[in-house]
Amino acid sequence: MPGTTFRDKLKPTPTKKLLALDGGGIRGILTVEVLAAIEKLLREKSGDPALVLADFFDYVGGTSTGAIIATCIARGMSIADIKKFYVDSGPAMFSKAGILKRLNNKFTDEELAKKLKEVLGADTRLGSEELRTLLMMVMRNSSTDSPWPLCNNPDAKYNSPPDRPNNNLKLPLWQLVRASTAAPTYFPPEKIQIGDKQFLMVDGGVTMYNNPAFQLFLMATVEPYNLNWPTGIDKMLVVSVGTGTSPKANANLRAEDMNLFYNAGAIPNALMYAALNEQDFLCRVFGECRTGCQLDREIGDMIGKHGPAERKLFTYMRYNAELTREGLDQLGLKQIQPEHVQALDSVDYINELMLVGQTVAAQQIKPEDFAKFLPQAVGAKMG
């Protein structure tokens, strides 16, 4: 609600709700459509037509395009406003670099940086009181060769004490989001000054956390992160939203085809796909999965299945789509060509991506999954 800040989310409450958003370029509009349906559902069931997701979720996290959406949510923006930002600004953000610069990256970063400053505020810091939820975003520090999941938790090690010279809360918010979206070969890296050191930051999608769901859960519960939120299927909700997957099976692949150029393009995608699935799988093992597509033919969707823990640690929902011919057909979208919606820069087919997101929302979101995480009087209406 207006006037609240992320510090209000630090207070003990009966339940804690986490929202994790994958990376995926302009395919983030698919995520936005799913979130629009969730926001609409929560407005209807709460009786509050002005509710935004910052009113419901306590901690939001994202990688790359997911970091943009998560930050906009933390700022208290409605999904309608976030959708307008993507539709109006998407083509400009993917502005092609000059011919010589394309040897390093496909697109320039000027328009993206400009848009982020406009929407998030050029002077807004990670620790700003304007943020209404806890926020985490993932980037990769190329200078140290390590993943950096940064957050605005004031008790996190590198955010405290307030007068710490290299306190991360003092970093420009727009610049951190820009760093998280700096996909190698697509955008140039972002230079971030922390104390007396300058680091080159790139897209968090090239870490294990392009899907940051399990990492977000750990940052909310593991002792060194200093939140220590209680766990349990009635105490914690983790909602994870993807941007679509596109595994490229090739039954006709020959050994001689797997040359240096093939591997240069295939291996990063294969690692990212495997990491995305692993984060999802971990959430289904340690959480009670209520919604999620089949992970593979052996483990299925893990709904109703047990793992090594005696009790499940949270309630979990995963919303996503497979953007292959088979996956789109299963959604009933036979009119959409897979190649139109698979690329990170498919700005010409944003309407088709929106349709995929709307279809995922219509088929996968179940009101009863959210019932126990609303106030009791409201939740009782949702069964």
Side-chain angles (χ1 to χ4, degrees):
M1 52 190 65
T4 61
T5 77
F6 71 89
R7 294 183 185 278
D8 294 297
K9 305 292 188 178
L10 299 170
K11 300 173 183 177
T13 52
T15 62
K16 291 295 185 183
K17 287 91 68 179
L18 284 58
L19 175 65
L21 308 175
D22 290 14
I26 200 63
R27 296 201 321 250
I29 194 64
L30 188 161
T31 299
V32 170
E33 291 291 355
V34 173
L35 294 175
I38 294 175
E39 183 185 72
K40 180 174 183 290
L41 170 67
L42 295 174
R43 285 178 173 183
E44 291 173 351
K45 300 304 179 180
S46 69
D48 181 2
L51 178 145
V52 293
L53 294 185
D55 297 324
F56 181 76
F57 288 102
D58 301 288
Y59 204 166
V60 294
T63 302
S64 193
T65 196
I68 296 177
I69 302 169
T71 305
C72 289
I73 289 171
R75 283 283 312 223
M77 291 174 62
S78 69
I79 299 302
D81 287 338
I82 299 174
K83 180 176 177 178
K84 187 176 188 302
F85 168 64
Y86 266 77
V87 173
D88 292 349
S89 306
M93 288 191 293
F94 287 91
S95 178
K96 288 189 176 180
I99 293 176
L100 292 179
K101 288 187 177 181
R102 283 184 216 172
L103 294 173
N104 294 321
N105 42 270
K106 189 175 181 181
F107 304 106
T108 64
D109 63 333
E110 286 87 356
E111 280 299 322
L112 177 57
K114 178 182 176 182
K115 294 295 182 182
L116 292 175
K117 289 178 184 178
E118 289 176 1
V119 173
L120 304 178
D123 297 323
T124 305
R125 305 290 163 169
L126 179 61
S128 171
E129 300 284 335
E130 295 176 18
L131 293 174
R132 291 172 53 187
T133 71
L134 288 172
L135 172 67
M136 183 271 277
M137 64 189 81
V138 182
M139 59 207 71
R140 177 178 178 271
N141 188 331
S142 297
S143 301
T144 62
D145 194 24
S146 58
W148 274 34
L150 298 184
C151 68
N152 65 339
N153 171 14
D155 295 321
K157 180 175 181 177
Y158 293 101
N159 296 346
S160 180
D163 59 352
R164 182 189 181 104
N166 56 346
N167 189 315
N168 287 340
L169 295 180
K170 299 176 182 178
L171 297 173
L173 184 62
W174 75 265
Q175 194 177 29
L176 296 176
V177 177
R178 155 75 185 102
S180 183
T181 64
T185 75
Y186 282 86
F187 294 101
E190 183 71 17
K191 298 176 182 178
I192 293 185
Q193 191 74 30
I194 302 178
D196 59 355
K197 296 180 179 179
Q198 185 180 83
F199 300 105
L200 288 179
M201 301 287 196
V202 298
D203 195 324
V206 292
T207 70
M208 288 294 291
Y209 314 118
N210 192 50
N211 170 355
F214 198 68
Q215 177 65 20
L216 184 64
F217 163 72
L218 294 176
M219 292 178 72
T221 58
V222 174
E223 186 174 353
Y225 291 112
N226 296 318
L227 279 179
N228 303 312
W229 285 351
T231 61
I233 61 172
D234 294 320
K235 295 180 179 179
M236 180 168 285
L237 171 68
V238 177
V239 176
S240 174
V241 187
T243 61
T245 61
S246 53
K248 294 178 172 59
N250 185 354
N252 299 315
L253 183 65
R254 303 171 302 168
E256 55 267 30
D257 294 330
M258 299 181 67
N259 54 39
L260 182 64
F261 295 103
Y262 170 88
N263 287 322
I267 289 177
N269 288 332
L271 292 175
M272 288 175 65
Y273 181 65
L276 180 151
N277 270 344
E278 184 70 4
Q279 287 275 310
D280 190 6
F281 184 34
L282 287 170
C283 285
R284 299 186 198 214
V285 169
F286 292 97
E288 181 180 271
C289 184
R290 302 294 301 271
T291 300
C293 297
Q294 175 177 282
L295 287 173
D296 64 40
R297 293 176 181 174
E298 182 171 13
I299 62 175
D301 57 20
M302 286 294 293
I303 294 176
K305 304 298 182 182
H306 296 287
E310 290 187 10
R311 65 180 182 92
K312 296 288 187 174
L313 301 178
F314 51 92
T315 294
Y316 177 65
M317 280 97 82
R318 171 68 171 172
Y319 306 113
N320 204 12
E322 186 176 297
L323 304 177
T324 60
R325 178 72 277 154
E326 181 181 3
L328 291 168
D329 287 349
Q330 288 177 351
L331 288 171
L333 299 174
K334 296 183 178 181
Q335 74 276 25
I336 294 180
Q337 298 303 313
E339 59 271 20
H340 288 181
V341 292
Q342 291 179 345
L344 301 182
D345 56 346
S346 295
V347 291
D348 292 336
Y349 301 102
I350 195 168
N351 288 330
E352 294 185 11
L353 284 164
M354 290 164 61
L355 180 58
V356 174
Q358 293 162 9
T359 304
V360 168
Q363 295 184 11
Q364 298 180 15
I365 294 175
K366 297 176 290 186
E368 59 269 23
D369 290 340
F370 291 87
K372 61 188 175 185
F373 293 97
L374 286 172
Q376 189 60 44
V378 177
K381 304 175 185 177
M382 299 180 65

